[in-house]
Amino acid sequence: MTHTHQTSITTEQLAIFCKQKGFVFQSSELYGGLSGIFDYGPLGVNFKNNIKQQWWNTFVNNRPDIVGIDGAIVSHAKIWKASGHVDNFEDILLECKKCKQRFRGDHLVEDVLKITADGLKKDAINKLVQENSIKCPNCKGELADAKQFNLMFATNVGPVEGNTAYLRPETAQLIFTNFKLVVETARLKLPFGIAQQGKAFRNEISPRDFIFRCREFEQMEMEYFIHPLKANDCSFIADVMDYSLKVYSEEMQHKKNKEKEMTIKDTLKQNIIKTQWHGYWLAQFHQWFVGLGVNPEHLRIRQHVKDEKSHYALDTWDLEYHFPMGWKELQGFANRTDFDLHQHMKHSGKDLSIFDEETKQKVIPHVVAEPALGVERAMLVFLFDAYHDDKKRGNILLKLHPKLAPIKVGVFPLVNKLEEQTKEVYQLLKDDFVCQYDRSGSVGRRYARADEIGIPYCITFDFDSLEDKSVTVRDRDTTSQIRVKIDELYSILSRLVSCKVTFKELEKHYKKVVVKVNEK
Ligand code: GAP
């Protein structure tokens, strides 16, 4: 992949960086690796947990209308028969007759013809292969007729052969199968959401682009249920009416126009986004990414064209990010209507309708929007936007949002003679902030190391600290430093890390430190 992103780092370079710093490793590398499966190192695990925590705080803990669940990974085969995954969750496979290498049909066609082929059916792929004499990219051999390939991982439960179950290919279905229990136990009233985070598994034909397309990954999904006739009755819509984002509708794609900056109000007025609820959730999640440091220039919402929609969807929008390999899906927002509840009613024979107190009607609620996000894709997006090769400093600067940074505070003794006192400062902080104590190399070198892994604030204990009971606090993004009393350190860092105050604001109240050349 040779395209570069605005941050001028390729996906391959990011993968190397992530390995070197301890964010992401190829799984089973010791034994040659398993393609599409990854392990997360010391920084990666904290980073991932922080992303999940921010999502959960924003969309579950902070909302009276949304609750969470944690469903099982190994799930009953009938769930996936009812959901349509057993019959429809397939990609098109092309196999070389000579070298037997297998390719994902739409990807191969896309790579060779430089067109968009996402969602093309078997016959369409066969036609393109024949018309354009597409051969095996590996050995130039002839390709066999395209086949359907189901992406689910099957397993056997217990000692009885044939007791097939599936590793869930999405977290969503567990929300539907637990729907009645959750509604009753949490006493939910329409409209409401049920959210879930956790592992999902897809036996992707050709996992690629580092952690963009994996076989084992994590999802953060929410099903938002409404009265079937109230898709345009969103009580929160005023919050987002003036919110503006790049919009790429089905019509714009057909006319080969570019995406256009629009407010949610205008997308609704022009019937581009069909329902208020869909508009509301698109804006909410766009805002979540921007609030955590993603440049809105790198984001757009794109409507699925007719052939691309999943078997369950009435209308789907994707939140896309401008990756080095082009605009790609970061998060999906399908309008699933009552497809899933209806299917589970049919297959289980159980009634999943609920009583709506407002209309005094028994209804099968509609999922007006299903914001479905992969944790790994979110990680990629935050990393791409944070990565800067700072030529002036001579080191990488990873400008991760403080709430996402895997390590919040670096604690350094200026010289090792001051270790005892510095460790007291470290003890003060370590219970509430993930701290990194670092004593090796010059302070300048330690700052550079902290910049490279995105530590937003570093504290240095120096000889003056012995007298004035103060330390310097350095801001990663500007390299500015202020002098702060050790007594005040905990409260200042709490406000900085939770973004209740900016470093710039603090600079007005605290003594600025003139940075010595060797500490730059
Ligand atoms: N419940 C709906 C659903 O699963 P999806 O578009 O197939 O929809 C939702 O997946 C999100 O999960 C995607 O937008 C992406 O962020 C993530 N995702 C899907 N497949 C993935 C894969 N193979 N590797 C990493 N992330 C993936």
Side-chain angles (χ1 to χ4, degrees):
M1 191 62 54
T2 50
H3 308 271
T4 51
H5 181 257
Q6 290 84 334
T7 53
S8 45
I9 184 171
T10 64
T11 308
E12 287 76 4
Q13 284 165 335
L14 186 71
I16 293 167
F17 171 79
C18 283
K19 181 176 179 184
Q20 281 171 344
K21 297 295 171 192
F23 278 95
V24 187
F25 309 131
Q26 178 72 60
S27 190
S28 311
E29 197 191 62
L30 201 58
Y31 296 100
L34 268 182
S35 173
I37 303 190
F38 296 90
D39 297 333
Y40 294 85
L43 292 181
V45 65
N46 275 5
F47 181 39
K48 211 175 182 206
N49 284 340
N50 291 345
I51 294 173
K52 286 162 65 181
Q53 189 63 53
Q54 284 306 313
W55 188 97
W56 198 262
N57 282 349
T58 309
F59 299 109
V60 183
N61 292 346
N62 284 349
R63 296 204 53 131
D65 56 337
I66 302 179
V67 295
I69 64 158
D70 184 16
I73 289 167
V74 178
S75 36
H76 203 295
K78 283 190 180 163
I79 295 180
W80 307 104
K81 182 70 189 163
S83 69
H85 285 76
V86 170
D87 298 322
N88 295 307
F89 197 54
E90 293 171 331
D91 277 336
I92 307 297
L93 181 107
L94 285 170
E95 185 171 344
C96 173
K97 286 183 181 169
K98 203 164 125 205
C99 74
K100 305 290 173 207
Q101 191 155 336
R102 293 174 152 199
F103 307 92
R104 189 171 143 173
D106 55 348
H107 285 174
L108 183 58
V109 165
E110 276 179 5
D111 290 348
V112 176
L113 303 179
K114 309 284 174 237
I115 57 165
T116 312
D118 213 15
L120 283 191
K121 304 274 175 310
K122 197 170 74 169
D123 292 346
I125 299 275
N126 272 334
K127 197 158 166 253
L128 285 171
V129 169
Q130 275 154 23
E131 281 174 3
N132 298 285
S133 309
I134 298 176
K135 296 277 181 285
C136 168
N138 190 35
C139 74
K140 302 277 170 283
E142 204 180 316
L143 296 168
D145 269 358
K147 281 192 228 151
Q148 318 266 39
F149 178 79
N150 193 290
L151 300 184
M152 280 197 297
F153 281 97
T155 188
N156 200 65
V157 177
V160 184
E161 282 292 324
N163 196 9
T164 304
Y166 293 100
L167 305 193
R168 62 185 183 195
E170 59 169 19
T171 55
Q173 287 310 315
L174 283 298
I175 294 176
F176 297 118
T177 53
N178 285 295
F179 175 76
K180 215 45 196 278
L181 287 170
V182 179
V183 171
E184 282 167 10
T185 52
R187 294 184 294 120
L188 297 175
K189 310 263 176 290
L190 288 172
F192 60 80
I194 306 178
Q196 184 176 200
Q197 300 181 333
K199 292 267 185 183
F201 299 81
R202 296 184 185 178
N203 199 6
E204 298 281 350
I205 296 171
S206 50
R208 59 181 187 178
D209 298 318
F210 185 34
I211 53 173
F212 180 84
R213 191 174 305 284
C214 324
R215 288 182 168 136
E216 173 175 339
F217 58 101
E218 280 194 83
Q219 287 188 315
M220 306 188 276
E221 297 200 288
M222 194 253 291
E223 307 297 326
Y224 203 81
F225 297 93
I226 59 155
H227 184 288
L229 301 177
K230 292 190 179 173
N232 260 321
D233 193 359
C234 168
S235 49
F236 313 116
I237 196 69
D239 299 351
V240 300
M241 274 301 206
D242 295 322
Y243 192 73
S244 165
L245 32 64
K246 285 184 204 287
V247 178
Y248 199 31
S249 68
E250 185 167 13
E251 194 185 345
M252 292 174 197
Q253 293 166 68
H254 284 316
K255 289 188 174 161
K256 305 227 176 308
N257 292 346
K258 286 196 89 173
E259 66 274 351
K260 197 171 145 193
E261 186 78 24
M262 296 181 81
T263 59
I264 292 292
K265 195 196 288 162
D266 287 339
T267 61
L268 291 171
K269 222 193 286 169
Q270 295 172 34
N271 204 27
I272 292 174
I273 296 177
K274 300 280 184 299
T275 70
Q276 285 190 358
W277 276 112
H278 221 148
Y280 172 71
W281 285 117
L282 282 160
Q284 284 286 302
F285 280 89
H286 187 283
Q287 222 165 9
W288 183 75
F289 276 103
V290 174
L292 288 172
V294 176
N295 182 347
E297 281 302 306
H298 302 161
L299 295 170
R300 73 176 183 191
I301 55 167
R302 186 183 70 81
Q303 190 171 26
H304 277 204
V305 296
K306 202 164 136 260
D307 285 342
E308 208 184 332
K309 272 187 283 212
S310 306
H311 59 275
Y312 49 72
L314 178 70
D315 186 22
T316 301
W317 286 80
D318 284 344
L319 176 62
E320 293 191 330
Y321 177 79
H322 197 207
F323 287 96
M325 59 278 190
W327 286 103
K328 296 275 171 200
E329 174 183 347
L330 165 61
Q331 180 171 20
F333 295 76
N335 179 344
R336 288 178 93 123
T337 66
D338 62 355
F339 176 86
D340 304 88
L341 288 180
H342 199 80
Q343 285 296 102
H344 287 299
M345 281 174 71
K346 201 167 108 190
H347 285 254
S348 69
K350 309 245 166 71
D351 179 18
L352 299 180
S353 62
I354 59 172
F355 186 72
D356 177 37
E357 286 188 1
E358 217 178 284
T359 56
K360 309 280 177 239
Q361 290 170 337
K362 222 172 166 212
V363 293
I364 305 172
H366 276 210
V367 168
V368 68
E370 177 205 45
L373 172 62
V375 180
E376 288 75 4
R377 287 201 195 168
M379 284 180 86
L380 273 183
V381 162
F382 290 124
L383 284 169
F384 274 127
D385 260 40
Y387 188 98
H388 293 81
D389 189 357
D390 192 320
K391 301 281 183 229
K392 224 163 129 201
R393 294 190 201 189
N395 59 259
I396 306 297
L397 172 60
L398 198 63
K399 278 186 161 183
L400 288 174
H401 191 283
K403 288 183 181 170
L404 299 181
I407 296 171
K408 311 291 184 201
V409 186
V411 185
F412 312 150
L414 180 68
V415 293
N416 288 343
K417 227 191 273 177
L418 298 169
E419 270 215 276
E420 204 186 309
Q421 296 87 341
T422 311
K423 280 199 171 148
E424 282 171 22
V425 176
Y426 172 72
Q427 291 295 337
L428 265 179
L429 303 175
K430 75 171 180 41
D431 283 351
D432 295 291
F433 305 96
V434 182
C435 293
Q436 177 166 287
Y437 182 83
D438 190 355
R439 66 193 285 273
S440 64
S442 69
V443 171
R445 189 62 219 121
R446 283 178 260 171
Y447 284 148
R449 269 203 299 265
D451 286 348
E452 294 194 339
I453 58 171
I455 300 179
Y457 306 106
C458 289
I459 285 155
T460 302
F461 190 102
D462 55 26
F463 287 108
D464 292 341
S465 306
L466 297 170
E467 302 300 320
D468 66 4
K469 305 283 177 246
S470 300
V471 286
T472 57
V473 180
R474 174 196 184 256
D475 177 45
R476 174 197 68 199
D477 295 347
T478 58
T479 71
S480 289
Q481 297 184 18
I482 52 173
R483 194 88 187 154
V484 167
K485 287 260 177 245
I486 293 170
D487 282 351
E488 284 181 78
L489 197 53
Y490 181 92
S491 120
I492 284 175
L493 285 172
S494 298
R495 286 188 289 145
L496 279 172
V497 169
S498 60
C499 301
K500 299 220 163 74
V501 70
T502 63
F503 201 85
K504 226 181 166 62
E505 281 159 2
L506 288 182
E507 280 175 28
K508 290 183 210 148
H509 305 289
Y510 293 86
K511 202 172 130 204
K512 254 190 107 164
V513 178
V514 182
V515 182
K516 295 185 198 111
V517 178
N518 70 348
E519 288 181 16
K520 269 189 177 170

